[in-house]
């Protein structure tokens, strides 16, 4: 019996070519999938910003890049310039909900910014994500 396996990497090649200006293999990223089967990629960009790059089409060639740093600055820091140090994103295996935590520095003060228990439906990521700030108050340490 002869076994033949065929594969295609066109989607990933297409995706990486379109997003190479913000995704680097030297920077942090996390990939997920919505309940509708579309890809979500959270990335700490080469420009120091946090991005969500999401697939918005069933034909797998339409992607949208959203600057989440801009949303965080607008919602929590009066549009001041923020520095994203690190982030973490996790998906609950049972519910599919996503939680995102971001280490943010502004004027030398660190904060933890979170968006817990996001539904993983396409409609949630088509609008602005709601963020909450948790101040980091240990003066002897930094995030």
């Amino acid at each position: 019996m002869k076994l033949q396996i065929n594969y295609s990497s066109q989607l990933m090649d297409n995706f990486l070519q379109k997003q190479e200006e913000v995704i680097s293999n030297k920077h942090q990223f996390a990939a997920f999938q919505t309940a509708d089967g579309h890809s979500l990629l959270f990335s700490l960009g080469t420009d120091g910003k946090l991005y969500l790059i999401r697939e918005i089409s069933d034909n797998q060639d339409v992607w949208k890049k959203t600057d989440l740093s801009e949303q965080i600055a607008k919602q929590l820091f009066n549009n001041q310039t923020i520095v994203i140090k690190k982030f973490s994103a996790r998906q609950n295996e049972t519910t599919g909900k996503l939680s995102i935590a971001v280490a943010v520095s502004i004027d030398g003060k660190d904060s933890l910014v979170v968006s817990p228990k996001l539904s993983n439906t396409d409609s949630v990521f088509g609008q602005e994500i709601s963020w909450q700030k948790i101040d980091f108050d240990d003066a002897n340490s930094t995030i």
Side-chain angles (χ1 to χ4, degrees), residues 79-136:
N79 284 321
Q80 293 178 291
T81 302
I82 61 174
V83 176
I84 304 297
K85 292 185 167 186
K86 293 185 182 277
F87 79 95
S88 181
R90 299 288 183 258
Q91 188 169 28
N92 183 299
E93 291 180 24
T94 305
T95 65
K97 291 185 177 186
L98 295 169
S99 295
I100 307 166
V102 183
V104 175
S105 184
I106 182 165
D107 296 330
K109 183 176 180 184
D110 293 335
S111 294
L112 177 64
V113 173
V114 297
S115 188
K117 299 181 182 176
L118 287 167
S119 171
N120 72 338
T121 59
D122 285 340
S123 61
V124 167
F125 296 101
Q127 53 192 312
E128 192 165 291
I129 294 173
S130 179
W131 299 94
Q132 303 167 12
K133 180 175 72 164
I134 302 169
D135 288 327
F136 183 74

Side-chain angles (χ1 to χ4, degrees), residues 40-51:
L40 298 172
L41 179 64
F42 295 90
S43 170
L44 187 55
T46 55
D47 57 0
K49 295 183 178 185
L50 179 63
Y51 290 99

Side-chain angles (χ1 to χ4, degrees), residues 1-3 5 13 17 25 50 61 89 101 110 125 128 137:
M1 183 170 121
K2 184 178 177 182
L3 179 64
I5 299 175
D13 289 343
Q17 288 171 2
N25 61 358
L50 179 63
D61 65 354
D110 293 335
F125 296 101
E128 192 165 291
D137 60 1

Side-chain angles (χ1 to χ4, degrees), residues 60-87:
Q60 301 176 340
D61 65 354
V62 179
W63 297 83
K64 180 172 176 149
K65 178 177 72 174
T66 303
D67 182 350
L68 298 179
S69 303
E70 188 176 282
Q71 289 183 8
I72 293 168
K74 179 179 138 190
Q75 288 180 28
L76 303 174
F77 299 102
N78 296 319
N79 284 321
Q80 293 178 291
T81 302
I82 61 174
V83 176
I84 304 297
K85 292 185 167 186
K86 293 185 182 277
F87 79 95

